[in-house]
Amino acid sequence: MDFKSSEPRREDALPATAVAAVKVVIVGGFGVGKTTLVGSVSEIRPLTTEETMTQAGVGVDDTAGVERKTSTTVAMDFGRISINEELVLYLFGTPGQERFWFLWRGLFEGALGAVVLVDTRRLEVSFDVIGRLEERGVPFVVAVNSFPEAPQYPVEELRAALDLPASVPLVLCDARRRDSSRDVLMTLMRYLHSLAVTPEAS
Ligand SMILES: Nc1nc2c(ncn2[C@@H]2O[C@H](COP(=O)(O)OP(=O)(O)OP(=O)(O)O)[C@@H](O)[C@H]2O)c(=O)[nH]1
Ligand SMILES: [Mg+2]
């Protein structure tokens, strides 16, 4: 397990002006780009728990569409981003493979919101993920990660396919890009704010 640890760096220190911290989880099926998103947007060196995928997973792990993937998250990703001088988000990426989903319970403890990352080649995985969030009552936004080989659908078609209420934000993103990943998190923050102001909107 690679925790990529090192001596604490000055830039890793929390800004002295921070007064509020929000825990956000990044969820989604296997290989949708959760680790990539946490890594692209985090202002500290992200913690990752990537393990090399081996032959032992053949027949157990559903790698359809992501055959070139060589490693997978086995516990969690962790990163941090300051939205402004006062508000800090702590990001927890979940493992995507179903055999590690039992870890979700701990990762959701205290989370105020979630980002569901979606790959249009494997939409069906997202049904389970969204169902689990709805069961837990965790507010979420959906971000469709744009892989070049993935089919593109109009946002409203995706909303219908995922059976999302009109109030749940659905955005497109490129998890490899910091600005795009940040936009997704800003969408979640705005959504959480709107729920706090008018709770019946959920
Ligand atoms: N083209 C493209 N590739 C991406 C994008 N996001 C991630 N990738 C690639 O897709 C692969 C999977 O990304 P990960 O971030 O490991 O996915 P994950 O959801 O964390 O995977 P698990 O933890 O195994 O569930 C990596 O090789 C990324 O480089 C994207 O937006 N576009
Ligand atoms: Mg991962």
Side-chain angles (χ1 to χ4, degrees):
M1 200 171 288
D2 179 12
F3 283 95
K4 294 194 177 131
S5 58
S6 64
E7 289 297 305
R9 303 179 307 165
R10 189 139 47 100
E11 58 269 35
D12 288 351
L14 194 60
T17 49
V19 288
V22 171
K23 178 176 177 180
V24 167
V25 282
I26 315 296
V27 288
F30 173 56
V32 293
K34 301 175 294 295
T35 301
T36 305
L37 185 144
V38 173
S40 74
V41 84
S42 181
E43 64 200 11
I44 56 171
R45 186 177 301 145
L47 165 81
T48 61
T49 59
E50 294 293 286
E51 281 292 326
T52 305
M53 292 168 61
T54 63
Q55 277 301 106
V58 174
V60 178
D61 304 327
D62 178 10
T63 55
V66 281
E67 292 83 359
R68 275 172 292 161
K69 199 163 145 59
T70 54
S71 67
T72 188
T73 303
V74 294
M76 61 182 253
D77 309 303
F78 176 74
R80 189 189 79 201
I81 174 172
S82 306
I83 294 297
N84 54 38
E85 285 180 355
E86 297 182 345
L87 177 62
V88 172
L89 305 190
Y90 287 107
L91 309 174
F92 290 78
T94 55
Q97 296 196 54
E98 282 194 48
R99 59 197 166 114
F100 298 124
W101 281 16
F102 67 93
L103 290 165
W104 283 29
R105 193 178 319 176
L107 287 172
F108 272 85
E109 201 79 36
L112 284 198
V115 171
V116 179
L117 264 187
V118 169
D119 177 347
T120 58
R121 289 168 297 183
R122 292 169 300 126
L123 264 193
E124 64 290 349
V125 192
S126 314
F127 302 141
D128 276 0
V129 173
I130 289 172
R132 282 173 161 241
L133 289 174
E134 286 173 343
E135 261 170 37
R136 287 185 162 83
V138 179
F140 61 90
V141 300
V142 177
V144 178
N145 195 11
S146 333
F147 291 86
E149 321 84 75
Q152 293 178 12
Y153 303 103
V155 164
E156 285 318 309
E157 254 179 56
L158 285 170
R159 181 181 291 285
L162 293 169
D163 201 15
L164 285 183
S167 56
V168 174
L170 173 63
V171 292
L172 304 179
C173 77
D174 183 336
R176 297 165 302 176
R177 287 182 33 214
R178 180 179 161 80
D179 55 346
S180 180
S181 300
R182 194 172 191 281
D183 285 348
V184 172
L185 294 171
M186 292 307 292
T187 302
L188 176 64
M189 285 304 106
R190 279 193 292 271
Y191 181 52
L192 294 180
H193 183 257
S194 74
L195 293 180
V197 176
T198 48
E200 64 279 7
S202 61

